[in-house]
Amino acid sequence: MSSGRKISLRSSDGESFEVDEAVALESQTIKHMIEDDCADNGIPLPNVTSKILAKVIEYCKKHVETPKSEDRGTNSGDDDLKNWDTEFVRVDQATLFDLILVSLFFVRSVITFCEVLSFLN
């Protein structure tokens, strides 16, 4: 998966991440910045550390790369993605807290991320 255009995201600790535009578009906020031509010099994310930004990018990439069930004609991929999501959030409590906070800003659908959290016991 490569959309051609790359977007640079810069964490609070100065690390830059080059991501495909499709991955960056998972964030409505970043999508609006791209649409308003505010992404040419990179997008600073002053409240997101590189550790958390890397995890969020991993999450968004997986959701961009996984075909939707209507595109596949089957639901088996949905189950695989739900299982992946469940494993993704099996992290220490501090990391989970940071992921929840940043998901409010970054992830296109907070409901999607909340669905992931519902798998935790």
Side-chain angles (χ1 to χ4, degrees):
M1 175 221 54
S2 180
S3 65
R5 184 174 178 198
K6 299 287 187 180
I7 303 296
S8 179
L9 305 174
R10 199 168 41 258
S11 68
S12 62
D13 46 349
E15 191 169 339
S16 289
F17 295 82
E18 295 288 321
V19 299
D20 287 332
E21 185 176 32
V23 173
L25 291 175
E26 287 292 295
S27 164
Q28 285 297 318
T29 304
I30 291 175
K31 178 181 178 183
H32 294 303
M33 292 177 80
I34 292 168
E35 290 169 348
D36 293 339
D37 293 324
C38 297
D40 293 339
N41 296 321
I43 298 174
L45 301 169
N47 296 320
V48 184
T49 66
S50 57
K51 173 187 171 188
I52 298 302
L53 184 53
K55 291 285 288 177
V56 170
I57 290 169
E58 177 187 2
Y59 177 87
C60 291
K61 279 175 106 174
K62 181 68 173 180
H63 282 258
V64 167
E65 293 170 350
T66 303
K68 308 293 182 250
S69 59
E70 58 269 12
D71 296 337
R72 290 187 317 269
T74 178
N75 288 338
S76 66
D78 291 344
D79 292 338
D80 292 342
L81 188 57
K82 285 180 182 180
N83 291 334
W84 186 89
D85 286 345
T86 301
E87 289 304 312
F88 177 81
V89 295
R90 292 194 192 283
V91 293
D92 62 89
Q93 191 172 16
T95 300
L96 183 60
F97 179 75
D98 288 341
L99 285 171
I100 291 168
L101 288 178
V102 79
S103 74
L104 299 172
F105 170 80
F106 201 91
V107 178
R108 175 182 298 200
S109 171
V110 175
I111 294 170
T112 301
F113 199 76
C114 289
E115 288 173 358
V116 171
L117 297 177
S118 72
F119 288 104
L120 297 177
N121 294 327

